Amino acid sequence: MATSTRDQTAKKIPLLPLFSLVFFASIFFLLSLSRRTPVSPGSSQVKARLRSDLNCDYTDGSWVYDPDRSSAKYDSTCKEIFKGWNCIAGGKPNAADILKWRWQPKGCNLPPFDPVAFLETYRDSNIGFVGDSLNRNMFVSLFCALRRVSIDVKKWRPAGADRGFTFLQYNLTIAYHRTNLLSRYGSWLADPKGGKLESLGYKEGYRVDVDIPDGTWVKAPSFHDILIFNTGHWWWAPSKFHPVKSPMLFYEKGLPIIPPIPPDVGLDIVLKHMIHYVEEKMRPGGIKFFRTQSPRHFEGGDWNEGGSCLRQQPLSSHQVQELFEVRNNGTNVESRLVNQHLLRAINGSSFHILDITHLSEFRADAHPANAGGKKHDDCMHWCLPGVPDTWIDLFILHLNGIKFRD
């Protein structure tokens, strides 16, 4: 541990100058601040629980406009950028301006990560992103930055991943495992012979096995050294899981949960089971993150109700509260609701939080919207290059803090 190492060093060289002793004491103090302590959801310590493992709250700050900023680690020519997210190629009017905004935490700086240093530091490692398309947004951001400095890349699908690449010079693999709910789910139709759900009037829906991981990532914990999870967007998706026409029907140990439970309760049970599964199956020394919810910015209705995101610059603090405050119960309320469930679930676990929600809430200007001629505005995913690049900066700063502390 840091304390015993420092004490042993002091004994070996007792005549260290005073300034050296102060230096080592300061390092120990900073490291001690990074230790996590479990908290109760909703307590005054939740803010501290969401902080980085470093001695700064990187989630509290503001976006600063820098017209001379040209620090993008990749450009729109990266072929892994999904066409719908390539806002420069898609002709979004403010696409270039999106990159001029820099996140400035209060009282400290968020340094941009160095792709070459990252490849060297995490040589011989496997890193997996597990979750919905918003985690793919983040995965692509990291891949494009690394691809620009290391071109010797092998494309493959490790451990059931949807996409994956190995940077051969460094033997570093990054992969994306697509899963909408984390747990396994599929279409359900009533049995003509009857059953418990049939007796309650259910005719069709989606069976969600709360205790069985989706097959796309079931092998990920035993393969990857570092995992970044997310879930949430599909749990509040009435266009997919309509409460009447196509409800979620939850199963546990192969049997339907009776009486049926609503999606938010199902989410809690799924998170409990999936977190336990990962902690049991993760390879020794593995590092596990749960990314908080990425906010949507639909205004004037949801995506299928004519909602749009036409703003050209970040929101003010007042506008953020109007759009996302839970008690307002607006179109985009899911982000803060999901975070409440997530905090409860990881309390007492060995997962680390990667909190990107609040800093992203300001960026109503950074979604693809109708770029590329979309029929519906995309106010959920992010333009690339764009906001997910800041998520990567925060992730790697957080990851380095854990790695070098341990």
Side-chain angles (χ1 to χ4, degrees), residues 48-104:
R49 180 66 174 85
L50 285 169
R51 289 180 182 175
S52 168
D53 280 73
L54 304 177
N55 186 30
C56 178
D57 182 1
Y58 288 94
T59 69
D60 187 13
S62 60
W63 289 93
V64 177
Y65 186 73
D66 182 357
D68 299 321
R69 190 172 186 235
S70 57
S71 59
K73 301 177 192 68
Y74 62 95
D75 58 34
S76 60
T77 62
C78 180
K79 294 182 180 179
E80 191 61 18
I81 300 176
F82 181 65
K83 181 180 178 181
W85 305 340
N86 197 327
C87 295
I88 293 175
K92 182 174 168 65
N94 69 322
D97 222 32
I98 288 172
L99 305 179
K100 302 295 184 182
W101 293 92
R102 172 178 54 83
W103 178 248
Q104 179 60 59

Side-chain angles (χ1 to χ4, degrees), residues 4 72 82 90 133 155 184 192 266 317 340 356 380:
S4 60
F82 181 65
S133 55
K155 184 177 182 179
R184 186 178 73 184
S317 295
Q340 291 175 2
I356 57 85
M380 179 170 70

